[in-house]
Amino acid sequence: QKEVEQNSGPLSVPEGAIASLNCTYSDRGSQSFFWYRQYSGKSPELIMSIYSNGDKEDGRFTAQLNKASQYVSLLIRDSQPSDSATYLCAVGDTGANSKLTFGKGITLSVRP
Amino acid sequence: DTGVSQNPRHKITKRGQNVTFRCDPISEHNRLYWYRQTLGQGPEFLTYFQNEAQLEKSRLLSDRFSAERPKGSFSTLEIQRTEQGDSAMYLCASSPAGREQFFGPGTRLTVL
C-alpha cells in the first residue's frame, strides 16, 4: 500500500511569513510529485509539480524534492490571508496510469 | 476551453436510488480519472481511462459502480443502489499522457 504522509496541522502563520509544508512518501520509485491547494468546499487546484531533485520556484511558491529521503516540501513566501486553505501533497504512480496518491492534507491559516 | 466540467454539482438522493454523474475533460487531454473525497481525507483514486479504454479500477470501486467514456470524450460514473457510505465528493480530473492532472469542480453526493 503506497502511502503519502503530511505532517499534522493545522499550521498557522502571520501574514508575510514563510509557510513550510512537508510530505513524505513510501514508494522509493516514485517520479512525479504535486502540490494542490483546496479551499473549503472546492476542488483541488494544482499549484506546483516537481519531477527532479532540488528546488522549483514559481512566484511565491517553491517546491523542494529529495528522492533519497523520500521527502517533498512546499514553501510559501510572503504568506497572504488568501493562501489560507488545505494543501494536498500527491505522488504519481510509477505505472503507466500515473494515478495520484494523496496525503490527507494540511490546513494552513494565515493571520492578518 | 474553460477546463474540466462536472454535472451535476450537487446531488441529493435516497438510499437505494441510482445516480449518474458526468465529466467533460479538457478537450485535448486523453486521460481521464475519477477520484472520491470524503471529509478530512485526500482524494482516493477510483478509475482511469485512456481515450475510451478503462484501464484500471480501484478496489474501492464495488460492482455497484460503473464508469464509461464513450468515444474518448466525456465520461459518466454511475452508482447503483446507493448507500449512505457513498456520500462524498466525486472528482474528475484530466491530463495529457503522464503529466499534471487538472480537476473539475466535483459533484457532491448526499445519500439520505
PDB file of all heavy atoms in Angstrom, chain A residues 86-112:
ATOM      1  N   THR A  86      -6.434  24.241   2.509  1.00  0.00           N
ATOM      2  CA  THR A  86      -5.814  22.943   2.745  1.00  0.00           C
ATOM      3  C   THR A  86      -4.890  22.624   1.578  1.00  0.00           C
ATOM      4  O   THR A  86      -5.274  22.785   0.415  1.00  0.00           O
ATOM      5  CB  THR A  86      -6.876  21.836   2.896  1.00  0.00           C
ATOM      6  OG1 THR A  86      -7.650  22.105   4.063  1.00  0.00           O
ATOM      7  CG2 THR A  86      -6.226  20.467   3.038  1.00  0.00           C
ATOM      8  N   TYR A  87      -3.678  22.198   1.895  1.00  0.00           N
ATOM      9  CA  TYR A  87      -2.686  21.873   0.874  1.00  0.00           C
ATOM     10  C   TYR A  87      -2.490  20.361   0.841  1.00  0.00           C
ATOM     11  O   TYR A  87      -2.178  19.741   1.860  1.00  0.00           O
ATOM     12  CB  TYR A  87      -1.375  22.607   1.149  1.00  0.00           C
ATOM     13  CG  TYR A  87      -1.531  24.086   0.886  1.00  0.00           C
ATOM     14  CD1 TYR A  87      -2.110  24.918   1.839  1.00  0.00           C
ATOM     15  CD2 TYR A  87      -1.155  24.643  -0.333  1.00  0.00           C
ATOM     16  CE1 TYR A  87      -2.304  26.261   1.588  1.00  0.00           C
ATOM     17  CE2 TYR A  87      -1.342  25.993  -0.592  1.00  0.00           C
ATOM     18  CZ  TYR A  87      -1.930  26.790   0.377  1.00  0.00           C
ATOM     19  OH  TYR A  87      -2.141  28.118   0.122  1.00  0.00           O
ATOM     20  N   LEU A  88      -2.686  19.802  -0.332  1.00  0.00           N
ATOM     21  CA  LEU A  88      -2.600  18.364  -0.533  1.00  0.00           C
ATOM     22  C   LEU A  88      -1.328  18.014  -1.290  1.00  0.00           C
ATOM     23  O   LEU A  88      -1.058  18.573  -2.357  1.00  0.00           O
ATOM     24  CB  LEU A  88      -3.804  17.881  -1.352  1.00  0.00           C
ATOM     25  CG  LEU A  88      -5.191  18.049  -0.718  1.00  0.00           C
ATOM     26  CD1 LEU A  88      -6.278  17.947  -1.776  1.00  0.00           C
ATOM     27  CD2 LEU A  88      -5.409  16.997   0.357  1.00  0.00           C
ATOM     28  N   CYS A  89      -0.583  17.085  -0.745  1.00  0.00           N
ATOM     29  CA  CYS A  89       0.578  16.523  -1.434  1.00  0.00           C
ATOM     30  C   CYS A  89       0.116  15.288  -2.193  1.00  0.00           C
ATOM     31  O   CYS A  89      -0.641  14.470  -1.654  1.00  0.00           O
ATOM     32  CB  CYS A  89       1.632  16.159  -0.391  1.00  0.00           C
ATOM     33  SG  CYS A  89       3.071  15.273  -1.013  1.00  0.00           S
ATOM     34  N   ALA A  90       0.540  15.142  -3.432  1.00  0.00           N
ATOM     35  CA  ALA A  90       0.147  13.986  -4.240  1.00  0.00           C
ATOM     36  C   ALA A  90       1.370  13.404  -4.936  1.00  0.00           C
ATOM     37  O   ALA A  90       2.254  14.152  -5.388  1.00  0.00           O
ATOM     38  CB  ALA A  90      -0.912  14.378  -5.272  1.00  0.00           C
ATOM     39  N   VAL A  91       1.422  12.106  -5.020  1.00  0.00           N
ATOM     40  CA  VAL A  91       2.529  11.395  -5.661  1.00  0.00           C
ATOM     41  C   VAL A  91       1.975  10.560  -6.807  1.00  0.00           C
ATOM     42  O   VAL A  91       0.985   9.837  -6.636  1.00  0.00           O
ATOM     43  CB  VAL A  91       3.256  10.491  -4.647  1.00  0.00           C
ATOM     44  CG1 VAL A  91       4.380   9.721  -5.319  1.00  0.00           C
ATOM     45  CG2 VAL A  91       3.799  11.338  -3.494  1.00  0.00           C
ATOM     46  N   GLY A  92       2.600  10.672  -7.975  1.00  0.00           N
ATOM     47  CA  GLY A  92       2.150   9.932  -9.140  1.00  0.00           C
ATOM     48  C   GLY A  92       2.593   8.491  -9.106  1.00  0.00           C
ATOM     49  O   GLY A  92       3.713   8.183  -8.693  1.00  0.00           O
ATOM     50  N   ASP A  93       1.737   7.605  -9.564  1.00  0.00           N
ATOM     51  CA  ASP A  93       2.064   6.179  -9.609  1.00  0.00           C
ATOM     52  C   ASP A  93       3.194   5.912 -10.597  1.00  0.00           C
ATOM     53  O   ASP A  93       3.309   6.590 -11.619  1.00  0.00           O
ATOM     54  CB  ASP A  93       0.816   5.400 -10.008  1.00  0.00           C
ATOM     55  CG  ASP A  93       0.939   3.930  -9.719  1.00  0.00           C
ATOM     56  OD1 ASP A  93       0.619   3.519  -8.589  1.00  0.00           O
ATOM     57  OD2 ASP A  93       1.373   3.190 -10.625  1.00  0.00           O
ATOM     58  N   THR A  94       3.988   4.919 -10.281  1.00  0.00           N
ATOM     59  CA  THR A  94       5.105   4.591 -11.158  1.00  0.00           C
ATOM     60  C   THR A  94       4.671   3.825 -12.396  1.00  0.00           C
ATOM     61  O   THR A  94       5.419   3.700 -13.343  1.00  0.00           O
ATOM     62  CB  THR A  94       6.151   3.755 -10.404  1.00  0.00           C
ATOM     63  OG1 THR A  94       5.485   2.632  -9.807  1.00  0.00           O
ATOM     64  CG2 THR A  94       6.814   4.574  -9.319  1.00  0.00           C
ATOM     65  N   GLY A  95       3.449   3.298 -12.396  1.00  0.00           N
ATOM     66  CA  GLY A  95       2.946   2.593 -13.560  1.00  0.00           C
ATOM     67  C   GLY A  95       2.488   3.542 -14.642  1.00  0.00           C
ATOM     68  O   GLY A  95       2.541   4.755 -14.495  1.00  0.00           O
ATOM     69  N   ALA A  96       2.006   2.975 -15.726  1.00  0.00           N
ATOM     70  CA  ALA A  96       1.616   3.791 -16.874  1.00  0.00           C
ATOM     71  C   ALA A  96       0.407   4.662 -16.593  1.00  0.00           C
ATOM     72  O   ALA A  96       0.177   5.647 -17.287  1.00  0.00           O
ATOM     73  CB  ALA A  96       1.336   2.879 -18.062  1.00  0.00           C
ATOM     74  N   ASN A  97      -0.377   4.310 -15.561  1.00  0.00           N
ATOM     75  CA  ASN A  97      -1.620   5.052 -15.353  1.00  0.00           C
ATOM     76  C   ASN A  97      -1.408   6.420 -14.735  1.00  0.00           C
ATOM     77  O   ASN A  97      -2.259   7.290 -14.864  1.00  0.00           O
ATOM     78  CB  ASN A  97      -2.604   4.242 -14.496  1.00  0.00           C
ATOM     79  CG  ASN A  97      -2.027   3.875 -13.154  1.00  0.00           C
ATOM     80  OD1 ASN A  97      -1.263   4.632 -12.576  1.00  0.00           O
ATOM     81  ND2 ASN A  97      -2.393   2.716 -12.650  1.00  0.00           N
ATOM     82  N   SER A  98      -0.302   6.608 -14.030  1.00  0.00           N
ATOM     83  CA  SER A  98       0.007   7.895 -13.391  1.00  0.00           C
ATOM     84  C   SER A  98      -1.063   8.344 -12.410  1.00  0.00           C
ATOM     85  O   SER A  98      -1.219   9.545 -12.166  1.00  0.00           O
ATOM     86  CB  SER A  98       0.220   8.990 -14.450  1.00  0.00           C
ATOM     87  OG  SER A  98       1.293   8.646 -15.290  1.00  0.00           O
ATOM     88  N   LYS A  99      -1.821   7.409 -11.848  1.00  0.00           N
ATOM     89  CA  LYS A  99      -2.817   7.810 -10.864  1.00  0.00           C
ATOM     90  C   LYS A  99      -2.111   8.442  -9.671  1.00  0.00           C
ATOM     91  O   LYS A  99      -0.942   8.158  -9.397  1.00  0.00           O
ATOM     92  CB  LYS A  99      -3.648   6.616 -10.416  1.00  0.00           C
ATOM     93  CG  LYS A  99      -2.853   5.570  -9.659  1.00  0.00           C
ATOM     94  CD  LYS A  99      -3.710   4.358  -9.347  1.00  0.00           C
ATOM     95  CE  LYS A  99      -2.896   3.301  -8.612  1.00  0.00           C
ATOM     96  NZ  LYS A  99      -3.650   2.044  -8.426  1.00  0.00           N
ATOM     97  N   LEU A 100      -2.825   9.312  -8.977  1.00  0.00           N
ATOM     98  CA  LEU A 100      -2.240  10.031  -7.855  1.00  0.00           C
ATOM     99  C   LEU A 100      -2.662   9.405  -6.528  1.00  0.00           C
ATOM    100  O   LEU A 100      -3.811   9.004  -6.347  1.00  0.00           O
ATOM    101  CB  LEU A 100      -2.690  11.491  -7.877  1.00  0.00           C
ATOM    102  CG  LEU A 100      -2.278  12.299  -9.115  1.00  0.00           C
ATOM    103  CD1 LEU A 100      -2.855  13.705  -9.043  1.00  0.00           C
ATOM    104  CD2 LEU A 100      -0.772  12.346  -9.252  1.00  0.00           C
ATOM    105  N   THR A 101      -1.691   9.348  -5.611  1.00  0.00           N
ATOM    106  CA  THR A 101      -1.965   9.007  -4.226  1.00  0.00           C
ATOM    107  C   THR A 101      -1.773  10.276  -3.418  1.00  0.00           C
ATOM    108  O   THR A 101      -0.713  10.913  -3.493  1.00  0.00           O
ATOM    109  CB  THR A 101      -1.026   7.908  -3.714  1.00  0.00           C
ATOM    110  OG1 THR A 101      -1.210   6.730  -4.505  1.00  0.00           O
ATOM    111  CG2 THR A 101      -1.332   7.578  -2.256  1.00  0.00           C
ATOM    112  N   PHE A 102      -2.796  10.648  -2.665  1.00  0.00           N
ATOM    113  CA  PHE A 102      -2.791  11.902  -1.925  1.00  0.00           C
ATOM    114  C   PHE A 102      -2.538  11.673  -0.438  1.00  0.00           C
ATOM    115  O   PHE A 102      -2.934  10.646   0.132  1.00  0.00           O
ATOM    116  CB  PHE A 102      -4.148  12.594  -2.051  1.00  0.00           C
ATOM    117  CG  PHE A 102      -4.394  13.260  -3.371  1.00  0.00           C
ATOM    118  CD1 PHE A 102      -4.866  12.529  -4.450  1.00  0.00           C
ATOM    119  CD2 PHE A 102      -4.157  14.614  -3.538  1.00  0.00           C
ATOM    120  CE1 PHE A 102      -5.099  13.137  -5.677  1.00  0.00           C
ATOM    121  CE2 PHE A 102      -4.385  15.236  -4.751  1.00  0.00           C
ATOM    122  CZ  PHE A 102      -4.863  14.498  -5.816  1.00  0.00           C
ATOM    123  N   GLY A 103      -1.906  12.673   0.186  1.00  0.00           N
ATOM    124  CA  GLY A 103      -1.919  12.749   1.627  1.00  0.00           C
ATOM    125  C   GLY A 103      -3.263  13.290   2.100  1.00  0.00           C
ATOM    126  O   GLY A 103      -4.112  13.678   1.291  1.00  0.00           O
ATOM    127  N   LYS A 104      -3.416  13.356   3.428  1.00  0.00           N
ATOM    128  CA  LYS A 104      -4.676  13.849   3.973  1.00  0.00           C
ATOM    129  C   LYS A 104      -4.797  15.357   3.878  1.00  0.00           C
ATOM    130  O   LYS A 104      -5.881  15.911   4.051  1.00  0.00           O
ATOM    131  CB  LYS A 104      -4.819  13.419   5.436  1.00  0.00           C
ATOM    132  CG  LYS A 104      -5.044  11.932   5.617  1.00  0.00           C
ATOM    133  CD  LYS A 104      -5.297  11.599   7.081  1.00  0.00           C
ATOM    134  CE  LYS A 104      -5.604  10.113   7.238  1.00  0.00           C
ATOM    135  NZ  LYS A 104      -5.895   9.758   8.649  1.00  0.00           N
ATOM    136  N   GLY A 105      -3.671  16.002   3.636  1.00  0.00           N
ATOM    137  CA  GLY A 105      -3.684  17.457   3.543  1.00  0.00           C
ATOM    138  C   GLY A 105      -3.336  18.118   4.867  1.00  0.00           C
ATOM    139  O   GLY A 105      -3.450  17.523   5.940  1.00  0.00           O
ATOM    140  N   ILE A 106      -2.872  19.336   4.758  1.00  0.00           N
ATOM    141  CA  ILE A 106      -2.610  20.150   5.940  1.00  0.00           C
ATOM    142  C   ILE A 106      -3.302  21.495   5.741  1.00  0.00           C
ATOM    143  O   ILE A 106      -3.222  22.084   4.655  1.00  0.00           O
ATOM    144  CB  ILE A 106      -1.101  20.313   6.205  1.00  0.00           C
ATOM    145  CG1 ILE A 106      -0.874  21.120   7.483  1.00  0.00           C
ATOM    146  CG2 ILE A 106      -0.397  20.963   5.029  1.00  0.00           C
ATOM    147  CD1 ILE A 106       0.557  21.078   7.983  1.00  0.00           C
ATOM    148  N   THR A 107      -3.992  21.930   6.777  1.00  0.00           N
ATOM    149  CA  THR A 107      -4.719  23.197   6.703  1.00  0.00           C
ATOM    150  C   THR A 107      -3.824  24.334   7.158  1.00  0.00           C
ATOM    151  O   THR A 107      -3.257  24.302   8.250  1.00  0.00           O
ATOM    152  CB  THR A 107      -5.989  23.138   7.567  1.00  0.00           C
ATOM    153  OG1 THR A 107      -6.839  22.090   7.061  1.00  0.00           O
ATOM    154  CG2 THR A 107      -6.743  24.458   7.493  1.00  0.00           C
ATOM    155  N   LEU A 108      -3.679  25.318   6.290  1.00  0.00           N
ATOM    156  CA  LEU A 108      -2.874  26.497   6.575  1.00  0.00           C
ATOM    157  C   LEU A 108      -3.799  27.677   6.852  1.00  0.00           C
ATOM    158  O   LEU A 108      -4.743  27.927   6.087  1.00  0.00           O
ATOM    159  CB  LEU A 108      -1.967  26.828   5.386  1.00  0.00           C
ATOM    160  CG  LEU A 108      -1.219  28.158   5.439  1.00  0.00           C
ATOM    161  CD1 LEU A 108      -0.189  28.153   6.568  1.00  0.00           C
ATOM    162  CD2 LEU A 108      -0.540  28.447   4.096  1.00  0.00           C
ATOM    163  N   SER A 109      -3.505  28.390   7.921  1.00  0.00           N
ATOM    164  CA  SER A 109      -4.229  29.615   8.245  1.00  0.00           C
ATOM    165  C   SER A 109      -3.216  30.751   8.312  1.00  0.00           C
ATOM    166  O   SER A 109      -2.220  30.658   9.048  1.00  0.00           O
ATOM    167  CB  SER A 109      -4.958  29.466   9.583  1.00  0.00           C
ATOM    168  OG  SER A 109      -5.581  30.681   9.949  1.00  0.00           O
ATOM    169  N   VAL A 110      -3.434  31.799   7.536  1.00  0.00           N
ATOM    170  CA  VAL A 110      -2.550  32.959   7.535  1.00  0.00           C
ATOM    171  C   VAL A 110      -3.266  34.078   8.267  1.00  0.00           C
ATOM    172  O   VAL A 110      -4.322  34.561   7.815  1.00  0.00           O
ATOM    173  CB  VAL A 110      -2.177  33.379   6.107  1.00  0.00           C
ATOM    174  CG1 VAL A 110      -1.247  34.591   6.149  1.00  0.00           C
ATOM    175  CG2 VAL A 110      -1.527  32.229   5.361  1.00  0.00           C
ATOM    176  N   ARG A 111      -2.686  34.500   9.394  1.00  0.00           N
ATOM    177  CA  ARG A 111      -3.310  35.514  10.256  1.00  0.00           C
ATOM    178  C   ARG A 111      -2.966  36.918   9.761  1.00  0.00           C
ATOM    179  O   ARG A 111      -1.787  37.232   9.566  1.00  0.00           O
ATOM    180  CB  ARG A 111      -2.806  35.359  11.692  1.00  0.00           C
ATOM    181  CG  ARG A 111      -2.932  33.958  12.255  1.00  0.00           C
ATOM    182  CD  ARG A 111      -2.557  33.942  13.728  1.00  0.00           C
ATOM    183  NE  ARG A 111      -1.200  34.423  13.980  1.00  0.00           N
ATOM    184  CZ  ARG A 111      -0.114  33.648  13.975  1.00  0.00           C
ATOM    185  NH1 ARG A 111      -0.224  32.368  13.693  1.00  0.00           N
ATOM    186  NH2 ARG A 111       1.075  34.158  14.232  1.00  0.00           N
ATOM    187  N   PRO A 112      -3.972  37.771   9.546  1.00  0.00           N
ATOM    188  CA  PRO A 112      -3.691  39.146   9.077  1.00  0.00           C
ATOM    189  C   PRO A 112      -2.903  39.925  10.128  1.00  0.00           C
ATOM    190  O   PRO A 112      -2.984  39.644  11.327  1.00  0.00           O
ATOM    191  CB  PRO A 112      -5.079  39.752   8.895  1.00  0.00           C
ATOM    192  CG  PRO A 112      -6.015  38.597   8.837  1.00  0.00           C
ATOM    193  CD  PRO A 112      -5.397  37.489   9.624  1.00  0.00           C
TER     194      PRO A 112
END
